[in-house]
Amino acid sequence: GVSVVFVGLFKNNSLWFRARDFGLVSGLSLLFGNLGAMAAAAPLAAALEYYSWRSIFVTLGLCTLALAVLTLCWVRNRPEDLGFPSMRQMEGTHAPEQGRSHWWLELLAVLRTRAVWPPFFVDMGMVGGMLAFIGLWAIPYLRDVHGLGRSEGALYTTVALGGFALGSLVLGWLSDRMGRRKPVILVGTLLYVMSCLGFAFMAQEGSAVLMLLFALMGFGCGGFIVSFACAKEVVPPGSAGMAVGLVNMGLFFGAACMQPLFGWTLDRLWAGQMRDSVRIYESAAYQEGFVLMLIFSLVALAAACMIRETGPCTRQR
């Protein structure tokens, strides 16, 4: 459900905002989205001390239904639906509408576009690894290696998600400001690689270093927001939603691969310790998992090097 909303939102952004502002608008979208993710970390852990998880989820469901009704009443597919010219017309880049082929043929054309695949692998190796770790293994790691409770550990994941939100906004804005896509993605990917190196070889240095690594991981991953611009700018405007959906699939594919692989690594090195019927893993086991994340991050870095520059300045030349 979130993926459907996310892709629709980015398609909406491509129709309602200027191309040279797409990075900033995408960053704002991720910023607001990650405010919810941040609320689901430390604030949710605190709320569970006073309310049941069932009452919290029922409240969230009712709020989501209310947002759906507001969207139905107020949101329109394109400016033309309200009598405005399209954004492409206002920018002077309007091309005559051509007959649309079957959606299946358009999807095949997107899949055959080589320039769409490097952003896919950037998101798979970088954001997929981050989501798998933050969403599943970060709290057990902080518990087993650093002796932190759920609420204390949630503070670190909140910092990572806050960095992710801030990085999406800042790096998206920077991409639009520079008129370049590729350098921003490379910077974000390099920061993420550095964080993975830190977790693999420096995470025992203390709470300050650990907090910095979580923040760096989140902020670096924020560079992924520009990958959607890279995808939509190498296909015809009518296929932008499909291209964004394909790239978005990469990060979930990465998370789906990383979560069981990380767990398999932990189980392989499990020393047999248990606490309250839960397995306790040693630092060396987590270090092996971080090395796996580092390998994924290097895949993302290699893909970032192969991204085709699609920024506004490039198109003007």
Side-chain angles (χ1 to χ4, degrees):
V2 171
S3 295
V4 173
V5 172
F6 185 78
V7 173
L9 175 62
F10 272 68
K11 176 66 174 180
N12 184 73
N13 290 346
S14 72
L15 294 173
W16 279 89
F17 296 94
R18 298 176 297 182
R20 62 178 178 269
D21 294 329
F22 187 80
L24 174 60
V25 174
S26 300
L28 282 170
S29 300
L30 262 293
L31 172 64
F32 290 124
N34 276 288
L35 291 178
M38 292 170 63
L44 178 60
L48 287 172
E49 301 292 334
Y50 302 97
Y51 305 99
S52 70
W53 65 266
R54 180 172 286 122
S55 62
I56 292 174
F57 273 77
V58 168
T59 302
L60 290 173
L62 292 175
C63 291
T64 303
L65 286 175
L67 288 172
V69 172
L70 291 173
T71 300
L72 180 66
C73 294
W74 291 99
V75 175
R76 296 295 178 265
N77 288 328
R78 54 184 62 85
E80 297 93 315
D81 294 345
L82 292 175
F84 299 116
S86 70
M87 195 57 61
R88 291 174 62 84
Q89 287 176 305
M90 288 191 282
E91 289 187 308
T93 59
H94 176 68
E97 288 289 337
Q98 299 178 353
R100 295 291 299 273
S101 57
H102 193 276
W103 70 266
W104 176 248
L105 297 177
E106 293 183 359
L107 177 59
L108 289 177
V110 170
L111 293 174
R112 293 193 189 103
T113 304
R114 293 183 180 180
V116 171
W117 289 102
F120 174 93
F121 286 104
V122 167
D123 289 2
M124 183 195 79
M126 181 167 65
V127 188
M130 189 273 288
L131 291 179
F133 176 60
I134 296 298
L136 184 59
W137 294 114
I139 298 297
Y141 162 71
L142 293 167
R143 176 199 66 204
D144 297 346
V145 177
H146 296 276
L148 300 180
R150 182 180 64 183
S151 297
E152 296 171 308
L155 177 61
Y156 287 82
T157 60
T158 300
V159 168
L161 292 170
F164 187 41
L166 181 63
S168 298
L169 177 64
V170 172
L171 295 176
W173 169 83
L174 182 62
S175 174
D176 290 339
R177 184 83 173 182
M178 293 172 55
R180 294 287 186 271
R181 306 299 189 200
K182 186 172 181 176
V184 175
I185 295 179
L186 280 170
V187 167
T189 310
L190 283 169
L191 291 175
Y192 178 73
V193 171
M194 290 171 58
S195 72
C196 290
L197 283 168
F199 275 108
F201 303 111
M202 295 176 55
Q204 304 299 321
E205 295 297 326
S207 59
V209 172
L210 192 62
M211 187 69 76
L212 177 61
L213 289 175
F214 272 91
L216 186 64
M217 172 178 281
F219 188 87
C221 276
F224 97 106
I225 195 66
V226 187
S227 68
F228 296 116
C230 293
K232 86 173 189 65
E233 290 166 357
V234 296
V235 299
S239 301
M242 292 183 181
V244 170
L246 175 63
V247 172
N248 186 53
M249 188 175 70
L251 63 94
F252 292 106
F253 179 73
C257 291
M258 177 57 69
Q259 283 188 349
L261 285 174
F262 201 108
W264 171 79
T265 300
L266 294 178
D267 286 339
R268 188 172 62 86
L269 299 174
W270 180 49
Q273 295 179 315
M274 300 279 289
R275 184 186 303 151
D276 298 329
S277 301
V278 176
R279 290 189 176 189
I280 302 299
Y281 302 100
E282 296 180 351
S283 177
Y286 283 103
Q287 187 174 23
E288 290 289 330
F290 290 135
V291 170
L292 187 62
M293 288 180 60
L294 177 61
I295 294 172
F296 265 58
S297 73
L298 293 175
V299 171
L301 181 60
C305 293
M306 294 186 287
I307 282 180
R308 181 195 299 177
E309 180 57 76
T310 60
C313 290
T314 304
R315 293 198 300 272
Q316 287 173 7
R317 288 201 302 263

